[in-house]
Amino acid sequence: MIAANASAIPDDVSAALARCDELVIDAGLSSERVLLLVPRTGLFGVPRYDVLLAAALAIQVWMLRAGLESRDELLAICLFHALGFALEAFKTSSGIRSWSYPDFAYTKVAGVPLFSGFMYAAVGSYITQAWRVLDLRVRHHPPHPMAALVALLIYLNFFTHHRLGDARPYLAAVALGLYARTTVCYRPLDRERRMPLLLGFVLIGFFVWLAENLGTFWGLWRYPNQLGAWSAVHVSKWSAWSLLVIMTFTIVANLKHVKARIHVPES
């Protein structure tokens, strides 16, 4: 079974990518495309970060009115925004300075532009949209309390690793054991396909890492090693994003209409 799934992965991945355009259409505009459309000087005298916030709010309102997101999904998106903003405020604080936002904005709070929370919310929105568009079903999902505990520890580690050491390798090992048997079934075109859910986490994390490279290249935010000249975001951020995707997936999985399509083996 494992060998069969491994051999099918390239077809599954290519088929899933073939539906990316449909996902982008459902979302109106991808986050990366919006970022590239707004010049660094802003628009009509409005700073860039403020324009991005207005665009993100407009897209969110449009998706809700168009029926592309339910009110429950909107609440989950707001939760992603709050969690992301709290993490941003901590990481950019004077005692940490993991990265910084160099430009001026009227909508900065604690040195963090409010639009930044939407970058985290976009990952959650993508997962909820993929669930609908690709008709996702999850098999052999771990018990929800265990998944929730791991998600909580992943989030807390982003704060505690500055004092207690980075627990990412241990958390990744726990997640590997927890989701080892979990598969996701989806219908990208006319046939149902499946792939290991862990592979999905890694792939989404990789594409978010690529988007982060675009964001830093465009100067939206910068890491300390990018202040003099741009350089690629360190590949270790890929693992960080993959773990954050696990946390995001866990929140989405607790939506009522989503939990109905998740199979949790009985003990």
PDB file of all heavy atoms in Angstrom, residues 234-259:
ATOM      1  N   HIS A 234      15.889  31.571   4.699  1.00  0.00           N
ATOM      2  CA  HIS A 234      16.549  30.321   5.072  1.00  0.00           C
ATOM      3  C   HIS A 234      15.583  29.150   4.936  1.00  0.00           C
ATOM      4  O   HIS A 234      14.387  29.252   5.265  1.00  0.00           O
ATOM      5  CB  HIS A 234      17.079  30.400   6.502  1.00  0.00           C
ATOM      6  CG  HIS A 234      18.083  29.336   6.817  1.00  0.00           C
ATOM      7  ND1 HIS A 234      17.722  28.064   7.208  1.00  0.00           N
ATOM      8  CD2 HIS A 234      19.439  29.353   6.782  1.00  0.00           C
ATOM      9  CE1 HIS A 234      18.813  27.338   7.414  1.00  0.00           C
ATOM     10  NE2 HIS A 234      19.869  28.103   7.158  1.00  0.00           N
ATOM     11  N   VAL A 235      16.088  28.043   4.443  1.00  0.00           N
ATOM     12  CA  VAL A 235      15.249  26.883   4.167  1.00  0.00           C
ATOM     13  C   VAL A 235      14.628  26.316   5.439  1.00  0.00           C
ATOM     14  O   VAL A 235      13.619  25.597   5.376  1.00  0.00           O
ATOM     15  CB  VAL A 235      16.082  25.798   3.427  1.00  0.00           C
ATOM     16  CG1 VAL A 235      17.092  25.157   4.387  1.00  0.00           C
ATOM     17  CG2 VAL A 235      15.182  24.745   2.796  1.00  0.00           C
ATOM     18  N   SER A 236      15.176  26.633   6.605  1.00  0.00           N
ATOM     19  CA  SER A 236      14.590  26.143   7.858  1.00  0.00           C
ATOM     20  C   SER A 236      13.179  26.698   8.056  1.00  0.00           C
ATOM     21  O   SER A 236      12.372  26.098   8.786  1.00  0.00           O
ATOM     22  CB  SER A 236      15.475  26.523   9.046  1.00  0.00           C
ATOM     23  OG  SER A 236      15.556  27.927   9.200  1.00  0.00           O
ATOM     24  N   LYS A 237      12.878  27.843   7.425  1.00  0.00           N
ATOM     25  CA  LYS A 237      11.533  28.402   7.526  1.00  0.00           C
ATOM     26  C   LYS A 237      10.502  27.490   6.865  1.00  0.00           C
ATOM     27  O   LYS A 237       9.309  27.560   7.188  1.00  0.00           O
ATOM     28  CB  LYS A 237      11.487  29.792   6.890  1.00  0.00           C
ATOM     29  CG  LYS A 237      12.415  30.813   7.540  1.00  0.00           C
ATOM     30  CD  LYS A 237      12.030  31.086   8.978  1.00  0.00           C
ATOM     31  CE  LYS A 237      12.936  32.133   9.593  1.00  0.00           C
ATOM     32  NZ  LYS A 237      12.625  32.376  11.024  1.00  0.00           N
ATOM     33  N   TRP A 238      10.952  26.668   5.935  1.00  0.00           N
ATOM     34  CA  TRP A 238      10.041  25.705   5.300  1.00  0.00           C
ATOM     35  C   TRP A 238       9.443  24.778   6.354  1.00  0.00           C
ATOM     36  O   TRP A 238       8.232  24.549   6.395  1.00  0.00           O
ATOM     37  CB  TRP A 238      10.813  24.932   4.232  1.00  0.00           C
ATOM     38  CG  TRP A 238      10.031  23.887   3.499  1.00  0.00           C
ATOM     39  CD1 TRP A 238       8.705  23.584   3.630  1.00  0.00           C
ATOM     40  CD2 TRP A 238      10.537  22.991   2.508  1.00  0.00           C
ATOM     41  NE1 TRP A 238       8.348  22.565   2.786  1.00  0.00           N
ATOM     42  CE2 TRP A 238       9.453  22.184   2.087  1.00  0.00           C
ATOM     43  CE3 TRP A 238      11.800  22.802   1.932  1.00  0.00           C
ATOM     44  CZ2 TRP A 238       9.617  21.183   1.127  1.00  0.00           C
ATOM     45  CZ3 TRP A 238      11.955  21.811   0.965  1.00  0.00           C
ATOM     46  CH2 TRP A 238      10.871  21.012   0.568  1.00  0.00           C
ATOM     47  N   SER A 239      10.286  24.248   7.245  1.00  0.00           N
ATOM     48  CA  SER A 239       9.787  23.356   8.290  1.00  0.00           C
ATOM     49  C   SER A 239       8.868  24.106   9.251  1.00  0.00           C
ATOM     50  O   SER A 239       7.862  23.555   9.717  1.00  0.00           O
ATOM     51  CB  SER A 239      10.957  22.720   9.052  1.00  0.00           C
ATOM     52  OG  SER A 239      11.710  23.707   9.741  1.00  0.00           O
ATOM     53  N   ALA A 240       9.210  25.364   9.540  1.00  0.00           N
ATOM     54  CA  ALA A 240       8.362  26.151  10.430  1.00  0.00           C
ATOM     55  C   ALA A 240       6.973  26.347   9.826  1.00  0.00           C
ATOM     56  O   ALA A 240       5.948  26.213  10.514  1.00  0.00           O
ATOM     57  CB  ALA A 240       9.019  27.501  10.716  1.00  0.00           C
ATOM     58  N   TRP A 241       6.925  26.659   8.529  1.00  0.00           N
ATOM     59  CA  TRP A 241       5.635  26.837   7.870  1.00  0.00           C
ATOM     60  C   TRP A 241       4.863  25.532   7.788  1.00  0.00           C
ATOM     61  O   TRP A 241       3.629  25.522   7.931  1.00  0.00           O
ATOM     62  CB  TRP A 241       5.831  27.433   6.479  1.00  0.00           C
ATOM     63  CG  TRP A 241       6.001  28.913   6.479  1.00  0.00           C
ATOM     64  CD1 TRP A 241       7.129  29.632   6.159  1.00  0.00           C
ATOM     65  CD2 TRP A 241       5.014  29.887   6.823  1.00  0.00           C
ATOM     66  NE1 TRP A 241       6.907  30.973   6.289  1.00  0.00           N
ATOM     67  CE2 TRP A 241       5.616  31.170   6.694  1.00  0.00           C
ATOM     68  CE3 TRP A 241       3.685  29.810   7.238  1.00  0.00           C
ATOM     69  CZ2 TRP A 241       4.913  32.346   6.959  1.00  0.00           C
ATOM     70  CZ3 TRP A 241       2.994  30.985   7.504  1.00  0.00           C
ATOM     71  CH2 TRP A 241       3.604  32.222   7.360  1.00  0.00           C
ATOM     72  N   SER A 242       5.550  24.420   7.558  1.00  0.00           N
ATOM     73  CA  SER A 242       4.866  23.126   7.493  1.00  0.00           C
ATOM     74  C   SER A 242       4.203  22.803   8.831  1.00  0.00           C
ATOM     75  O   SER A 242       3.075  22.288   8.868  1.00  0.00           O
ATOM     76  CB  SER A 242       5.860  22.023   7.111  1.00  0.00           C
ATOM     77  OG  SER A 242       6.371  22.235   5.796  1.00  0.00           O
ATOM     78  N   LEU A 243       4.886  23.101   9.929  1.00  0.00           N
ATOM     79  CA  LEU A 243       4.291  22.882  11.246  1.00  0.00           C
ATOM     80  C   LEU A 243       3.114  23.831  11.472  1.00  0.00           C
ATOM     81  O   LEU A 243       2.086  23.436  12.044  1.00  0.00           O
ATOM     82  CB  LEU A 243       5.345  23.079  12.335  1.00  0.00           C
ATOM     83  CG  LEU A 243       6.401  21.980  12.450  1.00  0.00           C
ATOM     84  CD1 LEU A 243       7.476  22.368  13.458  1.00  0.00           C
ATOM     85  CD2 LEU A 243       5.760  20.650  12.856  1.00  0.00           C
ATOM     86  N   LEU A 244       3.257  25.062  10.992  1.00  0.00           N
ATOM     87  CA  LEU A 244       2.156  26.008  11.146  1.00  0.00           C
ATOM     88  C   LEU A 244       0.948  25.578  10.317  1.00  0.00           C
ATOM     89  O   LEU A 244      -0.203  25.816  10.719  1.00  0.00           O
ATOM     90  CB  LEU A 244       2.613  27.409  10.731  1.00  0.00           C
ATOM     91  CG  LEU A 244       1.810  28.579  11.311  1.00  0.00           C
ATOM     92  CD1 LEU A 244       1.893  28.586  12.831  1.00  0.00           C
ATOM     93  CD2 LEU A 244       2.324  29.902  10.758  1.00  0.00           C
ATOM     94  N   VAL A 245       1.193  24.927   9.196  1.00  0.00           N
ATOM     95  CA  VAL A 245       0.099  24.401   8.382  1.00  0.00           C
ATOM     96  C   VAL A 245      -0.653  23.318   9.157  1.00  0.00           C
ATOM     97  O   VAL A 245      -1.879  23.222   9.071  1.00  0.00           O
ATOM     98  CB  VAL A 245       0.632  23.855   7.043  1.00  0.00           C
ATOM     99  CG1 VAL A 245      -0.437  23.047   6.313  1.00  0.00           C
ATOM    100  CG2 VAL A 245       1.113  24.999   6.163  1.00  0.00           C
ATOM    101  N   ILE A 246       0.078  22.491   9.927  1.00  0.00           N
ATOM    102  CA  ILE A 246      -0.575  21.471  10.744  1.00  0.00           C
ATOM    103  C   ILE A 246      -1.515  22.127  11.744  1.00  0.00           C
ATOM    104  O   ILE A 246      -2.660  21.686  11.943  1.00  0.00           O
ATOM    105  CB  ILE A 246       0.477  20.611  11.472  1.00  0.00           C
ATOM    106  CG1 ILE A 246       1.301  19.806  10.466  1.00  0.00           C
ATOM    107  CG2 ILE A 246      -0.195  19.679  12.483  1.00  0.00           C
ATOM    108  CD1 ILE A 246       2.414  18.985  11.094  1.00  0.00           C
ATOM    109  N   MET A 247      -1.053  23.200  12.384  1.00  0.00           N
ATOM    110  CA  MET A 247      -1.907  23.923  13.326  1.00  0.00           C
ATOM    111  C   MET A 247      -3.133  24.497  12.623  1.00  0.00           C
ATOM    112  O   MET A 247      -4.269  24.391  13.115  1.00  0.00           O
ATOM    113  CB  MET A 247      -1.108  25.049  13.977  1.00  0.00           C
ATOM    114  CG  MET A 247      -1.863  25.786  15.080  1.00  0.00           C
ATOM    115  SD  MET A 247      -1.154  27.401  15.471  1.00  0.00           S
ATOM    116  CE  MET A 247      -1.772  28.383  14.097  1.00  0.00           C
ATOM    117  N   THR A 248      -2.926  25.083  11.441  1.00  0.00           N
ATOM    118  CA  THR A 248      -4.032  25.652  10.683  1.00  0.00           C
ATOM    119  C   THR A 248      -5.030  24.578  10.269  1.00  0.00           C
ATOM    120  O   THR A 248      -6.249  24.758  10.382  1.00  0.00           O
ATOM    121  CB  THR A 248      -3.492  26.370   9.431  1.00  0.00           C
ATOM    122  OG1 THR A 248      -2.539  27.356   9.828  1.00  0.00           O
ATOM    123  CG2 THR A 248      -4.613  27.034   8.662  1.00  0.00           C
ATOM    124  N   PHE A 249      -4.522  23.449   9.802  1.00  0.00           N
ATOM    125  CA  PHE A 249      -5.378  22.339   9.390  1.00  0.00           C
ATOM    126  C   PHE A 249      -6.232  21.854  10.567  1.00  0.00           C
ATOM    127  O   PHE A 249      -7.409  21.532  10.391  1.00  0.00           O
ATOM    128  CB  PHE A 249      -4.517  21.193   8.857  1.00  0.00           C
ATOM    129  CG  PHE A 249      -5.299  19.972   8.475  1.00  0.00           C
ATOM    130  CD1 PHE A 249      -5.844  19.848   7.211  1.00  0.00           C
ATOM    131  CD2 PHE A 249      -5.492  18.943   9.383  1.00  0.00           C
ATOM    132  CE1 PHE A 249      -6.567  18.718   6.857  1.00  0.00           C
ATOM    133  CE2 PHE A 249      -6.210  17.812   9.043  1.00  0.00           C
ATOM    134  CZ  PHE A 249      -6.751  17.702   7.777  1.00  0.00           C
ATOM    135  N   THR A 250      -5.640  21.811  11.750  1.00  0.00           N
ATOM    136  CA  THR A 250      -6.377  21.342  12.924  1.00  0.00           C
ATOM    137  C   THR A 250      -7.553  22.251  13.231  1.00  0.00           C
ATOM    138  O   THR A 250      -8.642  21.775  13.588  1.00  0.00           O
ATOM    139  CB  THR A 250      -5.439  21.271  14.144  1.00  0.00           C
ATOM    140  OG1 THR A 250      -4.332  20.413  13.834  1.00  0.00           O
ATOM    141  CG2 THR A 250      -6.163  20.723  15.359  1.00  0.00           C
ATOM    142  N   ILE A 251      -7.363  23.564  13.090  1.00  0.00           N
ATOM    143  CA  ILE A 251      -8.462  24.502  13.326  1.00  0.00           C
ATOM    144  C   ILE A 251      -9.549  24.325  12.277  1.00  0.00           C
ATOM    145  O   ILE A 251     -10.748  24.252  12.605  1.00  0.00           O
ATOM    146  CB  ILE A 251      -7.939  25.949  13.325  1.00  0.00           C
ATOM    147  CG1 ILE A 251      -6.970  26.155  14.501  1.00  0.00           C
ATOM    148  CG2 ILE A 251      -9.091  26.946  13.408  1.00  0.00           C
ATOM    149  CD1 ILE A 251      -6.296  27.512  14.504  1.00  0.00           C
ATOM    150  N   VAL A 252      -9.149  24.216  11.014  1.00  0.00           N
ATOM    151  CA  VAL A 252     -10.130  24.025   9.943  1.00  0.00           C
ATOM    152  C   VAL A 252     -10.882  22.716  10.140  1.00  0.00           C
ATOM    153  O   VAL A 252     -12.092  22.635   9.902  1.00  0.00           O
ATOM    154  CB  VAL A 252      -9.434  24.046   8.566  1.00  0.00           C
ATOM    155  CG1 VAL A 252     -10.419  23.694   7.455  1.00  0.00           C
ATOM    156  CG2 VAL A 252      -8.818  25.406   8.309  1.00  0.00           C
ATOM    157  N   ALA A 253     -10.166  21.673  10.602  1.00  0.00           N
ATOM    158  CA  ALA A 253     -10.782  20.360  10.775  1.00  0.00           C
ATOM    159  C   ALA A 253     -11.883  20.366  11.822  1.00  0.00           C
ATOM    160  O   ALA A 253     -12.702  19.444  11.873  1.00  0.00           O
ATOM    161  CB  ALA A 253      -9.719  19.327  11.155  1.00  0.00           C
ATOM    162  N   ASN A 254     -11.935  21.378  12.658  1.00  0.00           N
ATOM    163  CA  ASN A 254     -12.958  21.448  13.695  1.00  0.00           C
ATOM    164  C   ASN A 254     -14.191  22.219  13.256  1.00  0.00           C
ATOM    165  O   ASN A 254     -15.113  22.368  14.058  1.00  0.00           O
ATOM    166  CB  ASN A 254     -12.371  22.061  14.965  1.00  0.00           C
ATOM    167  CG  ASN A 254     -11.586  21.057  15.776  1.00  0.00           C
ATOM    168  OD1 ASN A 254     -12.139  20.286  16.548  1.00  0.00           O
ATOM    169  ND2 ASN A 254     -10.276  21.035  15.584  1.00  0.00           N
ATOM    170  N   LEU A 255     -14.208  22.689  12.023  1.00  0.00           N
ATOM    171  CA  LEU A 255     -15.438  23.243  11.472  1.00  0.00           C
ATOM    172  C   LEU A 255     -16.453  22.119  11.293  1.00  0.00           C
ATOM    173  O   LEU A 255     -16.115  21.010  10.900  1.00  0.00           O
ATOM    174  CB  LEU A 255     -15.170  23.920  10.126  1.00  0.00           C
ATOM    175  CG  LEU A 255     -14.349  25.209  10.172  1.00  0.00           C
ATOM    176  CD1 LEU A 255     -13.975  25.645   8.767  1.00  0.00           C
ATOM    177  CD2 LEU A 255     -15.102  26.312  10.886  1.00  0.00           C
ATOM    178  N   LYS A 256     -17.723  22.414  11.555  1.00  0.00           N
ATOM    179  CA  LYS A 256     -18.736  21.358  11.572  1.00  0.00           C
ATOM    180  C   LYS A 256     -18.819  20.611  10.246  1.00  0.00           C
ATOM    181  O   LYS A 256     -18.840  19.383  10.192  1.00  0.00           O
ATOM    182  CB  LYS A 256     -20.100  21.967  11.917  1.00  0.00           C
ATOM    183  CG  LYS A 256     -20.195  22.470  13.349  1.00  0.00           C
ATOM    184  CD  LYS A 256     -21.574  23.038  13.627  1.00  0.00           C
ATOM    185  CE  LYS A 256     -21.665  23.559  15.065  1.00  0.00           C
ATOM    186  NZ  LYS A 256     -22.998  24.126  15.355  1.00  0.00           N
ATOM    187  N   HIS A 257     -18.868  21.338   9.135  1.00  0.00           N
ATOM    188  CA  HIS A 257     -19.052  20.677   7.850  1.00  0.00           C
ATOM    189  C   HIS A 257     -17.792  19.931   7.415  1.00  0.00           C
ATOM    190  O   HIS A 257     -17.849  19.040   6.577  1.00  0.00           O
ATOM    191  CB  HIS A 257     -19.445  21.698   6.780  1.00  0.00           C
ATOM    192  CG  HIS A 257     -18.336  22.577   6.333  1.00  0.00           C
ATOM    193  ND1 HIS A 257     -17.877  23.636   7.085  1.00  0.00           N
ATOM    194  CD2 HIS A 257     -17.569  22.557   5.210  1.00  0.00           C
ATOM    195  CE1 HIS A 257     -16.900  24.233   6.445  1.00  0.00           C
ATOM    196  NE2 HIS A 257     -16.681  23.612   5.307  1.00  0.00           N
ATOM    197  N   VAL A 258     -16.666  20.288   8.006  1.00  0.00           N
ATOM    198  CA  VAL A 258     -15.415  19.615   7.674  1.00  0.00           C
ATOM    199  C   VAL A 258     -15.275  18.338   8.487  1.00  0.00           C
ATOM    200  O   VAL A 258     -14.876  17.296   7.978  1.00  0.00           O
ATOM    201  CB  VAL A 258     -14.220  20.574   7.918  1.00  0.00           C
ATOM    202  CG1 VAL A 258     -12.906  19.816   7.877  1.00  0.00           C
ATOM    203  CG2 VAL A 258     -14.219  21.668   6.869  1.00  0.00           C
ATOM    204  N   LYS A 259     -15.602  18.395   9.777  1.00  0.00           N
ATOM    205  CA  LYS A 259     -15.477  17.214  10.636  1.00  0.00           C
ATOM    206  C   LYS A 259     -16.343  16.065  10.131  1.00  0.00           C
ATOM    207  O   LYS A 259     -16.033  14.899  10.357  1.00  0.00           O
ATOM    208  CB  LYS A 259     -15.851  17.563  12.072  1.00  0.00           C
ATOM    209  CG  LYS A 259     -14.836  18.445  12.780  1.00  0.00           C
ATOM    210  CD  LYS A 259     -15.214  18.720  14.209  1.00  0.00           C
ATOM    211  CE  LYS A 259     -15.102  17.480  15.075  1.00  0.00           C
ATOM    212  NZ  LYS A 259     -15.322  17.779  16.496  1.00  0.00           N
TER     213      LYS A 259
END
